[in-house]
Amino acid sequence: LLDGAELYGTEPLVGHILQRPGSPPREALYLISKAWNTNHAPEHLTAACQASRDALGVDTLDCYMLHWPNAWQHTEPLAGLEALSHEAATARTFPTDADGNPLEAAVDLETTWRAMEALVERGWTRHLGVSNFERDDLNRLLTVADVPPVINQIACHPYAPRTELVGYCQARTDGMR
């Protein structure tokens, strides 16, 4: 399992490693990437997925995920983020108003999820997933999803076991874990 995201800036390096002699065969890997909050609009989501696939050097991801349920205003593509100063990278990834509040985008979850489902139809990803979704977020998503998420990636550790949310996800019969 290689867990990536456009936000991390590591996909070009991982892609380079995957193309090197001696790397594991593609079928031995499970590749995940995630769309950042500024790329929830369908055109930006599609471009972000294409950029991740290109950077990794693959035709198909195993799972493409929404990094968070929140949609923020698009700034610009995140390619090359790792080469920017901290201030420039923060401005690109966390658009805020003068008071430091996130600039939300007028993109609802249904619109974003339809764009995610189109990525499955195109063959760009085998599965869809979400990250940092709470139970209410999942319930809202599952009311509109034709292709439900197979993963809800959350922080879970001894100091925050997230027992209720983990139990909810485990009880789903559609494969979400």
Side-chain angles (χ1 to χ4, degrees):
L1 170 69
L2 294 175
D3 178 24
E6 62 177 335
L7 180 70
Y8 303 160
T10 57
E11 291 176 337
L13 178 59
V14 171
H16 176 73
I17 292 169
L18 293 178
Q19 304 308 315
R20 295 188 56 139
S23 292
R26 172 64 182 95
E27 59 274 4
L29 302 172
Y30 194 87
L31 297 176
I32 294 175
S33 186
K34 299 176 207 70
W36 185 239
N37 301 22
T38 56
N39 288 325
H40 278 225
E43 65 275 15
H44 303 305
L45 183 80
T46 302
C49 184
Q50 177 66 53
S52 290
R53 292 169 50 241
D54 288 347
L56 291 166
V58 299
D59 294 327
T60 305
L61 296 164
D62 294 296
C63 188
Y64 195 60
M65 303 169 66
L66 290 179
H67 213 136
W68 290 87
N70 316 77
W72 297 341
Q73 285 186 10
H74 180 74
T75 52
E76 57 186 290
L78 300 184
L81 195 62
E82 68 281 359
L84 298 177
S85 69
H86 176 73
E87 293 77 18
T90 299
R92 191 181 293 182
T93 55
F94 294 91
T96 57
D97 63 18
D99 295 325
N101 300 310
L103 292 172
E104 295 183 3
V107 182
D108 62 25
L109 187 58
E110 180 178 16
T111 301
T112 301
W113 199 254
R114 292 286 172 250
M116 293 284 284
E117 292 174 333
L119 300 174
V120 174
E121 292 170 16
R122 289 181 177 191
W124 288 13
T125 186
R126 290 180 181 86
H127 303 105
L128 298 176
V130 294
S131 182
N132 302 301
F133 272 50
E134 297 295 330
R135 186 176 183 155
D136 289 346
D137 302 317
L138 291 169
N139 286 332
R140 189 171 51 138
L141 175 60
L142 292 172
T143 64
V144 301
D146 291 328
V147 178
V150 297
I151 296 170
N152 181 25
Q153 185 182 61
I154 58 170
C156 181
H157 51 81
Y159 293 109
R162 312 291 303 274
T163 308
E164 183 181 331
L165 182 57
V166 170
Y168 171 82
C169 292
Q170 288 174 337
R172 299 293 309 160
T173 59
D174 54 21
M176 185 173 40
R177 46 194 174 282

